Structure formats: structure tokens, C-alpha cells
């Protein structure tokens, strides 16, 4: 008689990742109010007790899902900048353009972000995560702008303006994808970016 394969318990890191992914899907579909232990466990196909075992509770799992969404965006941006090569303008254009292309321009990711944003005012830990993530994105953008000749006094203001431009296009693209295509949105963003660069250089006498 053929021997039965030995039972193998799922790797803890894989189990955590599957719970984080399930939490993100529930947040996208049901919002923060619907992200209960029971709903997330059902989505993941596990017992509710596993959430407590791996995360101590739903609050920590939501925070881990927020961090995972941030890591997904960061990885996509880093890959685009690396692929663009060493030329500073190409790297900056790649950073802005990638923000408006899949997997960042994604309606489900938007729904997940909205759920996270709804928690910013209610949960200090989520507010701190939001501030940290935004700060890191702006610092990366400031570094790319500096490489393109934007002087230090104008870096913060220019980075905020570029972020606002990209975020507005990203939001409309995710909400109404038929309004314009990702490539068109990226082209609009690059045109706006170049105008902001010129303004920064003129205002500082460069």
C-alpha cells in the first residue's frame, strides 16, 4: 500500500502573508468597519484563532496590511527607477510614470487605501504609519528632484506639488479608468512635472 504523505504545517511566514492578503481584500471590499476577525478568517479560510496567534488581534493585522500595501508600491517604484538607468531625468520620469501604471494604478488598491485612510483619525498607530510612509515617499522624490538640479530651498515645495499632481491623476484613474488611460495619465504627469521643475529653477535663479 502506498504510504500517505506526511502532514506538513504551513510555513509561518506564508501563513502571515496569506492573512495579510486576506485582510487587504476584506478592507477593499468591506471597508475598515467590515474588517473583523471573523470576516478576515473566513476570507483566508482559517479559524479566527489564527489571527490572534500570528498577530495578537485584528488591529495589528490591519497595520501589517497597511505596511504590505506600502511595500508593494515602494517595490514597483524602485523597480521602475532602477530600470530607467542612470540618467537623472529618466529616473524622475520613471518614478512619476510608474505611480500611474499597474500595479499602483489599481482600483482594488485604491479601495484598500481608502480603508486605511479612514482609520488615520481614529487610530494613532495608523496615523503614524501614514506620516512615516508619506515622509519616505517625499524624501525619495526630493532626492530625485535634487539630482535634476532643483536647489535645496525648493525641494520640499516642489516634491509636495509633484505628489499632489500625481495623486490627483492616480485617484481619477482608479475611480474612472475610462476617463483616460494610464499612459495618457503618465504623459500628463510628466508634462506637469517638467513645468514644476522649470518653475523651481526660475524661482531660485537657476
Amino acid at each position: 500500500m502506498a504510504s500517505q504523505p506526511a502532514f506538513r504545517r504551513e510555513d509561518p511566514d506564508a501563513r502571515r502573508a496569506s492573512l495579510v492578503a486576506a485582510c487587504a481584500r476584506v478592507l477593499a471590499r468591506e471597508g475598515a468597519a467590515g474588517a473583523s476577525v471573523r470576516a478576515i478568517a473566513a476570507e483566508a479560510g482559517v479559524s479566527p484563532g489564527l489571527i490572534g496567534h500570528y498577530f495578537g488581534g485584528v488591529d495589528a493585522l490591519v497595520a501589517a496590511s497597511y505596511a504590505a500595501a506600502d511595500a508593494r508600491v515602494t517595490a514597483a517604484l524602485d523597480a521602475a527607477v532602477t530600470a530607467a538607468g542612470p540618467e537623472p531625468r529618466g529616473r524622475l520620469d520613471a518614478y512619476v510614470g510608474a505611480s500611474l501604471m499597474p500595479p499602483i494604478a489599481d482600483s482594488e488598491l485604491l479601495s484598500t487605501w481608502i480603508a486605511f485612510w479612514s482609520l488615520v483619525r481614529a487610530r494613532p498607530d495608523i496615523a503614524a504609519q501614514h506620516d512615516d510612509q508619506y515622509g519616505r515617499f517625499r524624501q525619495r522624490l526630493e532626492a530625485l528632484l535634487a539630482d535634476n538640479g532643483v536647489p535645496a530651498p525648493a525641494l520640499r515645495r516642489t516634491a509636495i506639488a509633484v505628489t499632489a499632481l500625481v495623486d490627483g491623476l492616480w485617484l481619477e484613474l482608479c475611480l474612472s479608468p475610462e476617463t483616460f488611460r494610464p499612459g495618457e495619465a503618465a504623459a500628463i504627469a510628466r508634462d506637469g512635472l517638467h513645468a514644476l521643475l522649470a518653475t523651481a529653477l526660475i524661482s531660485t535663479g537657476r
Side-chain angles (χ1 to χ4, degrees), residues 30-188:
E30 307 292 341
S36 66
V37 168
R38 188 173 298 278
I40 296 168
E43 180 72 23
V46 300
S47 67
L50 277 181
I51 291 176
H53 174 72
Y54 284 109
F55 292 95
V58 71
D59 285 353
L61 176 53
V62 168
S65 296
Y66 197 5
D70 169 63
R72 173 183 170 187
V73 171
T74 299
L77 293 173
D78 286 349
V81 170
T82 299
E87 200 275 318
R89 181 58 62 87
R91 290 169 65 83
L92 180 59
D93 283 353
Y95 185 91
V96 169
S99 300
L100 298 165
M101 302 291 286
I104 298 175
D106 176 78
S107 59
E108 184 170 334
L109 181 60
L110 169 62
S111 297
T112 306
W113 280 120
I114 289 173
F116 292 138
W117 294 334
S118 72
L119 294 169
V120 167
R121 293 180 64 85
R123 285 184 49 183
D125 60 323
I126 296 297
Q129 274 188 271
H130 171 269
D131 290 346
D132 177 67
Q133 290 168 8
Y134 177 77
R136 284 187 285 105
F137 281 126
R138 200 183 74 205
Q139 286 173 3
R140 178 68 185 281
L141 183 53
E142 286 181 4
L144 292 168
L145 290 168
D147 290 342
N148 279 271
V150 176
L155 280 176
R156 180 178 180 274
R157 182 182 61 196
T158 306
I160 291 171
V162 172
T163 300
L165 168 68
V166 172
D167 284 354
L169 288 166
W170 173 79
L171 182 61
E172 190 61 37
L173 186 62
C174 292
L175 287 173
S176 304
E178 297 306 316
T179 302
F180 44 74
R181 297 295 180 185
E184 185 180 8
I188 293 169

